[in-house]
Amino acid sequence: MPEVTLVEAINLALGRAMEDDESVVVLGEDVGVDGGVFRATAGLQKRFGSERVLDTPLAELLISGLCVGMAAQGLRPVGEIQFMGFLYPCFDQLVNHASRMRNRTQGRLTCSMVLRTPHGAGIRAPEHHSESTEAMLAHIPGLRVVMPSSPERAYRLLLAAIRDPDPVVFLEPTRMYRAAKAEVEDNGEALPLDHAFVLREGRDVTLVSWGAMLKETIAAADELSAEGIDAEVIDLATLKPYDEATVVSSVQKTGRCVIVHEAARTGGFGAEIAAIIAERSLSSLLAPVTRVTGYDTVVPMARLEQHYIPSVARIVTAARKACQFS
Amino acid sequence: MPEVTLVEAINLALGRAMEDDESVVVLGEDVGVDGGVFRATAGLQKRFGSERVLDTPLAELLISGLCVGMAAQGLRPVGEIQFMGFLYPCFDQLVNHASRMRNRTQGRLTCSMVLRTPHGAGIRAPEHHSESTEAMLAHIPGLRVVMPSSPERAYRLLLAAIRDPDPVVFLEPTRMYRAAKAEVEDNGEALPLDHAFVLREGRDVTLVSWGAMLKETIAAADELSAEGIDAEVIDLATLKPYDEATVVSSVQKTGRCVIVHEAARTGGFGAEIAAIIAERSLSSLLAPVTRVTGYDTVVPMARLEQHYIPSVARIVTAARKACQFS
Amino acid sequence: MASQRMADEGLPVIARFEVHRRNYLKSDGSIARPVPAFASDANLLLSLYRAMVLLRHFDRKAVALQHTGRLGTYAVSLGQEAVSVGIASAMREEDVLLPSYRDNGALLWRGVKLEEILLFWGGDERGNQFSGPVHDFPFCVPVGSQAPHAAGVAYAFKLRREPRVAVCMFGDGATSKGDVYEAMNFAGVHKLPVVFVATNNQWAISVPLRLQTGSETLAQKAIAAGFTGEQVDGNDVVAMSAAAEAAVAAARDGKGPRFIEAVTYRLGDHTTSDDASRYRSADEVQMHWKEDPIGRLRTFFVDKRMWSKADEEQLAADCHERIEAATERYLAMAPRQPETMFDHLYADLPEAYAAQRHELAGEGDA
Amino acid sequence: MASQRMADEGLPVIARFEVHRRNYLKSDGSIARPVPAFASDANLLLSLYRAMVLLRHFDRKAVALQHTGRLGTYAVSLGQEAVSVGIASAMREEDVLLPSYRDNGALLWRGVKLEEILLFWGGDERGNQFSGPVHDFPFCVPVGSQAPHAAGVAYAFKLRREPRVAVCMFGDGATSKGDVYEAMNFAGVHKLPVVFVATNNQWAISVPLRLQTGSETLAQKAIAAGFTGEQVDGNDVVAMSAAAEAAVAAARDGKGPRFIEAVTYRLGDHTTSDDASRYRSADEVQMHWKEDPIGRLRTFFVDKRMWSKADEEQLAADCHERIEAATERYLAMAPRQPETMFDHLYADLPEAYAAQRHELAGEGDA
Ligand SMILES: Cc1ncc(C[n+]2csc(CCOP(=O)(O)OP(=O)(O)O)c2C)c(N)n1
Ligand SMILES: Cc1ncc(C[n+]2csc(CCOP(=O)(O)OP(=O)(O)O)c2C)c(N)n1
Ligand SMILES: [Mg+2]
Ligand SMILES: [Mg+2]
């Protein structure tokens, strides 16, 4: 079994889904001949034709709205938005239509669609290419929000997203597209869409993160372990709905929690995790719940972006502080 | 001094701002001859002419984008979006441009603009007219998000918003437009844009809310007081940036906190408040921080909307529970 | 007539476009030009007439219900009945309608029940779970946002080689929205089987057409998307039906999308929440009553001795009866249980929200 | 030539439109039709030429910097130099430019320094704090989203009775975006002093024009907004400059907006992150080299004996020197201090974020 990168795993999942189910359609800018600006759709148009793998005009609102219409007709569209910074024109369709078509029509029309987009900074891309505003999406009832952090989870969660009968925004960790590499068996098996993954068990402190930040979070756990601090690492993976139980029971065990995300702190999804802990595990808490996050400012362009993204050192410091708290 | 409704207070503030500063321009659908679907701009076109009070084509993205362009030219546009459900097409302009024009150009171009929109359910309006997605906005760096809950604060915070050199989304509590009535002196005095208001002092539990939910929250405080529970009520009023200090010091005093908002719970702005408490006041907490919120579902249409909006009873129950916690 | 611009400097012309206008039945009930074949089918004309009259009676009832607190905000079709009825009359059951909030006439024609429409405007989602064609879309409230759906639906038809057509209806105001343009542009690229219908009733709430767009017609907006736009007398149900027939047939034949501008006038308030006297004169409205689509067709029938006063009274009585019966069924319908607001959120309610549903059901306490 | 559609059934025509095409200098350097007056000013033509050549040299350097890790993603203008240079040449200092990421040529003409452009593409916001006209907008990356800004800027001009013009530039891909349409439609309503320029280089990354729109020209998209669109040979800098002159003058005179479609071809990759050979043939590109805007103007000069080999060498040397000096200044510029990422977030940094700035400065620990 050869190793694949995360973006290759995405490609495998798309190919598998299209093979299995001819109602799956891939659409977006440059997804056809070009195979996508990150090559996530490479080869698909050749395999499945230009009707099922179609290059749309340059219009993100359109892409999301087409998905809603196609889905109402029983297709399973998978739209690609080139960068998360170009997802905002889709918000009207996501909030007002995709997420509530089933509810509005009491189940008569449904909306099985996926909108995929790269998430996060760190690849020295131009302005507006470094967004991580998953919290805005995770607040929308009726939507699912998913973010893998390994080739394996990318493959299996994307398959689950495509097969899910409801709309899913699938956020792909840009920094990991080529950096993460692992064996993935292309066997069509999916993972559940509302389970968090405990990537590493530990007794002293719970580190909760998602997407590309797992890399720094795991590295921090390694450093902490060298200091004798035993960190549990949770990949939340699905943000909407999210797996409260896994987070809460981990914190009940460790008594300490550090939440790590790349997005700006205020109103980030880390707040939700902290809130659920404050609500459900207060009496287990041995230290304040802290958030190690991007700053509350616009993500800077390439020259400063590394200062914006939470570092291993910031995570380690926060976890250490939590363990020393009294 | 006559009593005015909240929407009349908005109207007074707009008139005052336009009188004081001829760079203030009001734009939106039906803001002209019609005076706005809620009458917030009534009489303004007559007073200031159709160039300064202009009816735009039916295009919300356009309204927000025009504001950005006008502001870069030194005007102070005040755009009206008829209902919050129609604000989503503005997200691209808000996130990618309005909130970062100053930052992108290192201060060369700036964006002093206000986007006003009615917020919340409860007036038996049609589908898509009952949104309360302030949390999505409060996550955007560079933006200000403001929500008054009385005619006085509506007047003074709107004046502040218009005079502020940066972009402000001004959310107006629809249910209170005509229901709230009070004396307001039209003296042009503004309130600060990052202060929470302690509407009622108390020792036992802190109730934090904003916008129209203050009505139920205050009523709950009244009921609690009859039971001998002394609730402190905070109107957050500005969500971005928000006044951490007032919230935190209140909770440090009371040891208990219930957050009340109309928006869906998951990822709502209540999570941010709970998170800051879990981070900064853990040791003062005598009970879990709880959130009384709208449910994590699509706001239902008129027949069920009252079941969606948090009731006085739900708030009372939560506060009582917090006080009984041990 | 729009002038041709930029003919200066003798630069060569590389593209030319024309916009046509279609009308048959003049406002006085006389005939402007040879009517299309279908119009010689008296039964069809009568059924169009009956549908328009039913709609007008129904609107009146709905407004009365709203005024007495038994219905929410409601948008009447007064003066515009020929548009939605004419369009729907050209569609097949298997076609898909994507209507705006003012297109009741089209829904009724396609089999949605009166009480279902009341239920929707009464604030109950079950109104969208209607007895019309199962793939038809619910009323769209965010103006113009259903246009991309129409393109998506039409794309599905084309992909599956199904001879079906999507019909998307919206107002003059909607033609200012970027989503409508984006959808039309995409439809133009793929020659999709979709018909876009703009009901140009001259007003978007208080905003008159001249503040909505600088274009001489709405029909010409299709030129930007590379297909044909036609202007139609929207108060002439024969013209509306004929234009829709032509457009739907072309779309079904693989000839690509069409755009129809139906020129009409909103004789009533925008909705029951509106007071149109704030922004337009009674005279203006009065003048447009002369164009009334129902009156002119009645005159035509009467002139042809196809229709009597007794027929008219009978029709009114029938409408009344149907509407009253439907209203009773509507009013008798108990609201849903509060916790059902979770029942169609996802196909299966995630565990995370089950507790909230439970709380709402009053059975527990989340 | 676009055919006139829907002439069936003898329905009357209510509006007619034409699209013209402008060109003067053919690809072989000969003259197609009488050139406009300004083109007899040899110095002006030479300065246009110099600007195009500088841009081409600069692009080459920027790509080299990118390849060696000293610059971020960069978009060259290869083959399109006449568009941005020609447009800018018709603007006044007090006009406002709203450019796309590929309009370096216009910024340079307007006084932005080479090192400022490098700074921006090198990933430093200070590149947008440039020495060009103070009200000019920075490069717009989210395609088409600056079009509403252009309308807002032009509205401010009109409101204040200032004789200034906003010029908004974008690509063929951008013409599919709803924001561009919405902005054009608004400009049409108020006859705003704004010129929209679509650089039609046939490709939006890998998406060819035929998948972008079904319309025969981009120029005709202005018809939907009620104003004039003109197609221009975008490889003819004389035509570009003349078209821009005409449009800017009309806008300044209160005659309302204009739309210019500049037909050209992207000879290079989309950006340094792209590999165009994945989606188009070398033959196609080769064929378009014949249209090269720089080559044809040089031929014209040479034919008129206005330009020698020595002149060309001198120009190349000058460009080289300017570019090398600018590069050195760029490379010598230290990055900003990390905490400055908070300095232009708000006019005054709210207390809530001061602690974060402090943490970032390494002075404290938020
Ligand atoms: C996107 C959006 N913005 C604003 C509104 C509020 N609104 C409802 S109807 C309307 C006017 C619509 O005018 P038009 O498209 O001409 O349709 P008509 O009502 O005349 O049938 C407005 C502004 C809305 N429903 N959707
Ligand atoms: C809204 C948006 N979507 C996607 C992108 C990614 N992207 C950058 S350039 C480009 C193609 C633009 O094509 P065109 O408008 O023709 O301009 P050109 O690059 O040819 O000059 C795309 C899709 C973007 N920058 N903005
Ligand atoms: Mg209308
Ligand atoms: Mg292009």
Side-chain angles (χ1 to χ4, degrees):
Chain A
M1 205 162 49
E3 290 209 324
V4 295
T5 62
L6 196 147
V7 73
E8 286 163 351
I10 299 284
N11 185 262
L12 279 181
L14 290 170
R16 167 68 58 173
M18 295 193 78
E19 196 79 65
D20 288 354
D21 180 351
E22 66 170 23
S23 65
V24 177
V25 166
V26 166
L27 65 158
E29 297 153 16
D30 307 293
V31 299
V33 179
D34 194 40
V37 290
F38 283 106
R39 329 276 316 117
T41 58
L44 296 179
Q45 192 176 68
K46 214 166 207 167
R47 274 169 75 191
F48 301 105
S50 62
E51 284 190 310
R52 285 184 65 201
V53 181
L54 73 140
D55 281 326
T56 63
L58 206 169
E60 284 76 11
L61 189 172
L62 173 75
I63 294 170
S64 56
L66 286 175
C67 287
V68 174
M70 289 172 170
Q73 271 299 310
L75 295 183
R76 290 182 180 270
V78 183
E80 173 174 310
I81 303 297
Q82 268 178 9
F83 282 91
M84 195 173 191
F86 312 133
L87 183 70
Y88 304 113
C90 309
F91 271 50
D92 188 40
Q93 288 292 330
L94 288 174
V95 181
N96 278 332
H97 291 297
S99 64
R100 54 181 91 176
M101 189 60 83
R102 179 187 294 279
N103 184 275
R104 291 177 66 209
T105 62
Q106 295 291 290
R108 189 171 57 82
L109 295 180
T110 59
C111 192
S112 175
M113 63 176 267
V114 178
L115 218 46
R116 301 174 36 244
T117 192
H119 169 279
I123 59 158
R124 303 186 60 76
E127 267 192 296
H128 298 109
H129 286 67
S130 304
E131 303 291 288
S132 53
T133 37
E134 67 275 11
M136 295 170 82
L137 299 163
H139 187 44
I140 306 174
L143 203 66
R144 288 181 183 272
V145 181
V146 177
M147 189 162 4
S149 70
S150 75
E152 176 92 22
R153 287 188 291 280
Y155 175 86
R156 304 201 190 286
L157 289 171
L158 180 53
L159 277 181
I162 296 172
R163 292 173 190 161
D164 192 79
D166 292 304
V168 181
V169 177
F170 195 83
L171 301 169
E172 302 171 359
T174 322
R175 284 202 293 291
M176 286 183 164
Y177 262 155
R178 283 167 198 142
K181 234 181 145 98
E183 290 189 353
V184 175
E185 195 183 348
D186 179 12
N187 58 4
E189 278 173 25
L191 280 165
L193 278 187
D194 45 11
H195 274 47
F197 301 90
V198 179
L199 300 188
R200 174 185 183 130
E201 299 200 8
R203 274 166 297 115
D204 299 329
V205 58
T206 301
L207 308 181
V208 182
S209 191
W210 47 89
M213 285 312 304
L214 257 313
K215 179 160 172 269
E216 285 78 8
T217 304
I218 291 170
D222 287 341
E223 278 196 28
L224 289 163
S225 131
E227 297 182 16
I229 296 174
D230 189 19
E232 177 141 314
V233 176
I234 296 179
D235 174 5
L236 201 61
T238 68
L239 274 69
K240 178 78 177 181
Y242 73 99
D243 180 359
E244 286 181 27
T246 297
V247 173
V248 165
S249 74
S250 173
V251 177
Q252 281 168 355
K253 175 177 69 175
T254 62
R256 300 176 185 90
C257 185
V258 175
I259 302 152
V260 183
H261 63 64
E262 180 172 329
R265 173 170 321 183
T266 303
F269 200 69
E272 172 61 33
I273 303 299
I276 208 72
I277 295 171
E279 201 160 326
R280 297 188 41 193
S281 325
L282 183 71
S283 48
S284 327
L285 279 181
L286 305 171
V289 180
T290 50
R291 293 176 281 170
V292 178
T293 69
Y295 295 102
D296 278 315
T297 187
V298 179
V299 196
M301 287 205 287
R303 279 190 166 192
L304 293 187
E305 65 178 343
Q306 290 304 336
H307 294 276
Y308 178 89
I309 300 171
S311 62
V312 174
R314 285 178 63 203
I315 305 169
V316 168
T317 306
R320 197 188 290 135
K321 246 181 153 172
C323 291
Q324 290 164 351
F325 184 85
S326 60
Chain B
M1 205 162 50
E3 291 207 327
V4 295
T5 61
L6 195 147
V7 72
E8 286 163 351
I10 299 283
N11 185 264
L12 279 180
L14 289 170
R16 168 66 60 173
M18 295 194 78
E19 196 79 66
D20 288 354
D21 180 350
E22 67 171 23
S23 65
V24 177
V25 166
V26 165
L27 65 159
E29 295 153 16
D30 307 292
V31 298
V33 178
D34 193 40
V37 289
F38 283 106
R39 330 275 318 115
T41 59
L44 296 179
Q45 190 176 70
K46 219 170 202 161
R47 274 169 77 190
F48 301 105
S50 62
E51 284 190 311
R52 286 183 65 199
V53 181
L54 74 140
D55 281 327
T56 63
L58 205 168
E60 284 75 11
L61 189 172
L62 173 74
I63 294 170
S64 57
L66 285 175
C67 287
V68 174
M70 290 173 170
Q73 271 298 310
L75 295 182
R76 289 182 181 272
V78 182
E80 174 174 308
I81 302 297
Q82 267 178 9
F83 282 91
M84 194 172 192
F86 312 133
L87 183 69
Y88 304 113
C90 308
F91 271 51
D92 188 38
Q93 288 292 331
L94 289 173
V95 181
N96 278 332
H97 291 297
S99 64
R100 54 180 90 177
M101 190 59 83
R102 179 188 292 280
N103 185 275
R104 292 177 67 209
T105 62
Q106 296 290 290
R108 188 170 59 79
L109 296 178
T110 59
C111 192
S112 175
M113 63 176 267
V114 177
L115 218 48
R116 301 173 35 245
T117 193
H119 170 278
I123 59 159
R124 303 186 59 79
E127 266 192 298
H128 299 108
H129 285 67
S130 304
E131 302 286 293
S132 54
T133 37
E134 67 275 12
M136 295 170 81
L137 299 163
H139 187 44
I140 306 174
L143 203 67
R144 288 180 183 272
V145 181
V146 177
M147 189 162 3
S149 70
S150 75
E152 175 91 22
R153 287 188 292 281
Y155 174 86
R156 304 202 189 287
L157 288 172
L158 181 53
L159 277 180
I162 297 172
R163 292 172 190 162
D164 191 79
D166 291 305
V168 181
V169 177
F170 195 85
L171 301 169
E172 302 171 359
T174 321
R175 284 202 294 289
M176 286 184 163
Y177 262 155
R178 284 170 197 139
K181 235 181 145 102
E183 290 189 355
V184 176
E185 195 183 348
D186 179 11
N187 59 3
E189 277 173 26
L191 280 166
L193 279 187
D194 46 11
H195 274 48
F197 300 91
V198 178
L199 300 187
R200 172 185 185 130
E201 299 200 8
R203 275 165 298 116
D204 299 330
V205 57
T206 301
L207 308 181
V208 182
S209 191
W210 47 90
M213 284 312 305
L214 258 312
K215 178 158 174 268
E216 285 79 6
T217 304
I218 290 169
D222 287 342
E223 278 196 27
L224 288 164
S225 130
E227 299 183 14
I229 295 174
D230 189 19
E232 177 142 316
V233 175
I234 296 180
D235 175 6
L236 201 61
T238 66
L239 274 69
K240 178 78 177 179
Y242 72 99
D243 181 359
E244 286 181 28
T246 297
V247 173
V248 166
S249 73
S250 172
V251 177
Q252 280 168 354
K253 176 176 70 177
T254 62
R256 299 176 186 89
C257 185
V258 175
I259 302 153
V260 182
H261 62 65
E262 180 171 330
R265 174 169 322 183
T266 304
F269 200 70
E272 172 61 34
I273 303 299
I276 208 74
I277 295 170
E279 200 160 330
R280 296 189 42 193
S281 325
L282 182 70
S283 48
S284 327
L285 280 181
L286 304 172
V289 180
T290 51
R291 292 176 283 170
V292 178
T293 68
Y295 294 102
D296 279 315
T297 187
V298 178
V299 196
M301 287 206 288
R303 279 191 166 191
L304 293 187
E305 65 179 344
Q306 290 304 336
H307 294 276
Y308 178 88
I309 300 171
S311 63
V312 175
R314 285 177 65 204
I315 304 169
V316 168
T317 305
R320 197 187 290 134
K321 245 181 156 173
C323 291
Q324 291 163 351
F325 184 85
S326 58
Chain C
M1 155 109 51
S3 59
Q4 40 197 94
R5 320 189 200 83
M6 278 287 291
D8 54 316
E9 303 180 63
L11 297 173
V13 172
I14 54 161
R16 282 201 175 80
F17 307 94
E18 291 182 345
V19 175
H20 293 80
R21 182 180 165 95
R22 186 190 297 262
N23 71 320
Y24 302 102
L25 195 58
K26 295 202 282 188
S27 55
D28 62 2
S30 70
I31 294 295
R33 75 191 73 251
V35 297
F38 77 85
S40 53
D41 176 347
N43 282 335
L44 178 59
L45 287 189
L46 283 169
S47 68
L48 292 170
Y49 181 74
R50 286 202 184 89
M52 293 198 292
V53 171
L54 175 67
L55 177 55
R56 188 164 290 186
H57 282 274
F58 178 65
D59 275 355
R60 206 176 297 139
K61 180 70 185 187
V63 170
L65 287 169
Q66 195 280 337
H67 286 341
T68 50
R70 292 173 297 168
L71 198 73
T73 307
Y74 184 81
V76 300
S77 300
L78 192 66
Q80 310 179 194
E81 292 89 347
V83 181
S84 57
V85 169
I87 292 292
S89 73
M91 293 175 68
R92 295 191 189 153
E93 157 101 30
E94 68 268 27
D95 294 337
V96 168
L97 177 72
L98 298 102
S100 291
Y101 48 83
R102 205 187 295 282
D103 298 317
N104 287 331
L107 273 77
L108 290 177
W109 184 278
R110 287 176 68 70
V112 177
K113 293 190 185 143
L114 293 170
E115 59 265 37
E116 291 166 339
I117 292 182
L118 290 173
L119 202 57
F120 177 79
W121 294 111
D124 191 320
E125 286 78 359
R126 287 174 299 181
N128 281 333
Q129 202 184 20
F130 51 55
S131 346
V134 66
H135 285 124
D136 275 11
F137 273 55
F139 293 111
C140 187
V141 168
V143 167
S145 59
Q146 81 278 37
H149 308 163
V153 166
Y155 191 89
F157 294 162
K158 192 176 179 207
L159 179 71
R160 295 188 302 229
R161 312 283 185 268
E162 295 169 353
R164 300 163 69 188
V165 178
V167 176
C168 183
M169 301 188 68
F170 44 75
D172 45 302
T175 65
S176 298
K177 287 245 357 259
D179 23 20
V180 172
Y181 167 72
E182 290 186 5
M184 286 171 55
N185 185 56
F186 180 76
V189 171
H190 292 280
K191 302 214 177 308
L192 297 182
V194 53
V195 177
F196 297 99
V197 182
T199 304
N200 178 1
N201 65 3
Q202 316 301 324
W203 293 93
I205 311 187
S206 74
V207 180
L209 192 62
R210 85 190 139 75
L211 291 180
Q212 200 61 248
T213 185
S215 74
E216 297 89 338
T217 68
L218 298 183
Q220 76 201 54
K221 293 191 180 265
I223 296 170
F227 56 89
T228 300
E230 180 186 64
Q231 196 180 73
V232 181
D233 181 346
N235 289 354
D236 171 3
V237 74
V238 178
M240 280 311 306
S241 195
E245 283 273 353
V248 167
R252 204 183 307 280
D253 278 10
K255 301 213 177 88
R258 292 273 188 100
F259 184 91
I260 293 173
E261 173 189 2
V263 180
T264 179
Y265 189 86
R266 197 191 77 213
L267 290 170
D269 290 335
H270 168 69
T271 64
T272 48
S273 312
D274 179 49
D275 172 7
S277 72
R278 282 210 297 260
Y279 51 80
R280 63 184 192 183
S281 70
D283 279 2
E284 176 185 318
V285 179
Q286 202 44 51
M287 194 184 80
H288 281 281
W289 266 105
K290 296 194 196 117
E291 304 284 329
D292 178 24
I294 293 181
R296 73 168 74 172
L297 189 54
R298 189 190 309 118
T299 308
F300 172 82
F301 287 157
V302 171
D303 287 355
K304 291 217 155 184
R305 304 195 193 288
M306 287 164 59
W307 193 252
S308 67
K309 211 169 163 211
D311 290 331
E312 187 69 25
E313 278 160 14
Q314 182 60 47
L315 175 58
D318 289 351
C319 288
H320 180 78
E321 196 180 317
R322 275 188 67 186
I323 291 166
E324 289 305 316
T327 303
E328 262 170 51
R329 285 190 295 273
Y330 158 64
L331 293 173
M333 229 171 141
R336 296 190 288 146
Q337 289 302 310
E339 69 273 20
T340 62
M341 67 173 84
F342 278 103
D343 288 356
H344 295 284
L345 182 62
Y346 298 88
D348 299 299
L349 189 63
E351 217 188 283
Y353 310 126
Q356 293 185 23
R357 186 184 187 284
H358 198 245
E359 174 184 348
L360 199 48
E363 297 157 15
D365 198 295
Chain D
M1 154 109 50
S3 57
Q4 36 196 96
R5 321 189 200 83
M6 280 285 291
D8 56 314
E9 303 180 64
L11 298 173
V13 173
I14 54 161
R16 282 201 174 81
F17 307 93
E18 292 181 345
V19 175
H20 292 79
R21 182 181 165 95
R22 187 190 295 264
N23 71 320
Y24 301 104
L25 194 59
K26 295 202 281 188
S27 54
D28 62 2
S30 69
I31 294 295
R33 75 191 74 253
V35 296
F38 78 85
S40 53
D41 177 347
N43 282 334
L44 177 58
L45 288 189
L46 284 170
S47 67
L48 293 169
Y49 182 74
R50 286 201 184 90
M52 293 198 292
V53 171
L54 175 67
L55 177 56
R56 189 164 290 184
H57 282 275
F58 177 66
D59 275 355
R60 207 175 297 137
K61 179 70 185 188
V63 171
L65 288 168
Q66 196 279 338
H67 285 341
T68 51
R70 291 173 297 168
L71 198 74
T73 306
Y74 184 82
V76 298
S77 300
L78 192 67
Q80 309 179 196
E81 292 88 347
V83 181
S84 57
V85 169
I87 292 292
S89 74
M91 294 176 67
R92 294 190 190 155
E93 157 99 31
E94 67 268 26
D95 294 337
V96 167
L97 177 73
L98 297 101
S100 292
Y101 49 84
R102 205 187 295 284
D103 298 317
N104 288 329
L107 273 78
L108 290 177
W109 183 278
R110 287 176 67 71
V112 177
K113 292 189 185 142
L114 294 170
E115 59 264 36
E116 291 166 341
I117 292 183
L118 290 174
L119 202 57
F120 177 80
W121 294 111
D124 190 321
E125 287 78 359
R126 288 173 299 180
N128 280 334
Q129 201 185 22
F130 51 54
S131 344
V134 65
H135 285 124
D136 276 13
F137 273 55
F139 293 112
C140 187
V141 168
V143 167
S145 59
Q146 82 277 37
H149 308 163
V153 165
Y155 191 89
F157 295 161
K158 191 175 181 208
L159 179 72
R160 295 188 302 230
R161 312 283 186 267
E162 294 169 352
R164 299 163 71 188
V165 178
V167 176
C168 184
M169 301 187 69
F170 43 75
D172 44 301
T175 65
S176 298
K177 285 241 5 255
D179 22 21
V180 172
Y181 167 72
E182 291 186 6
M184 286 172 54
N185 186 55
F186 180 77
V189 171
H190 293 281
K191 302 213 178 308
L192 297 182
V194 53
V195 177
F196 298 98
V197 182
T199 303
N200 178 1
N201 65 4
Q202 316 300 325
W203 293 92
I205 310 186
S206 74
V207 180
L209 191 63
R210 86 190 138 74
L211 291 180
Q212 201 62 248
T213 185
S215 75
E216 297 88 337
T217 68
L218 298 183
Q220 76 202 53
K221 293 190 180 263
I223 295 170
F227 56 90
T228 299
E230 181 186 64
Q231 197 181 71
V232 181
D233 180 347
N235 289 353
D236 171 2
V237 75
V238 178
M240 280 311 307
S241 195
E245 282 274 351
V248 167
R252 203 183 308 282
D253 278 10
K255 301 213 179 86
R258 292 272 187 101
F259 184 90
I260 294 173
E261 174 190 2
V263 180
T264 177
Y265 189 86
R266 196 191 79 214
L267 291 170
D269 289 335
H270 169 69
T271 63
T272 48
S273 311
D274 178 50
D275 172 6
S277 72
R278 282 210 297 258
Y279 50 82
R280 64 185 192 184
S281 71
D283 279 1
E284 176 186 319
V285 179
Q286 201 46 48
M287 195 185 79
H288 281 279
W289 265 104
K290 296 196 194 112
E291 305 283 328
D292 178 24
I294 293 182
R296 73 168 74 172
L297 189 54
R298 188 191 307 118
T299 307
F300 173 81
F301 288 157
V302 170
D303 287 355
K304 291 217 155 184
R305 306 197 192 284
M306 288 164 59
W307 193 250
S308 66
K309 214 172 159 210
D311 290 331
E312 187 69 23
E313 278 161 13
Q314 181 61 47
L315 175 58
D318 290 351
C319 290
H320 181 77
E321 196 181 317
R322 274 188 67 185
I323 291 166
E324 289 305 315
T327 303
E328 263 171 50
R329 286 190 294 273
Y330 157 63
L331 293 174
M333 231 173 138
R336 297 190 289 147
Q337 289 302 309
E339 69 272 21
T340 61
M341 69 172 81
F342 277 104
D343 288 356
H344 296 284
L345 182 63
Y346 298 89
D348 299 299
L349 189 64
E351 217 187 286
Y353 310 125
Q356 292 186 23
R357 185 184 188 284
H358 199 244
E359 173 184 347
L360 200 47
E363 297 158 14
D365 199 296

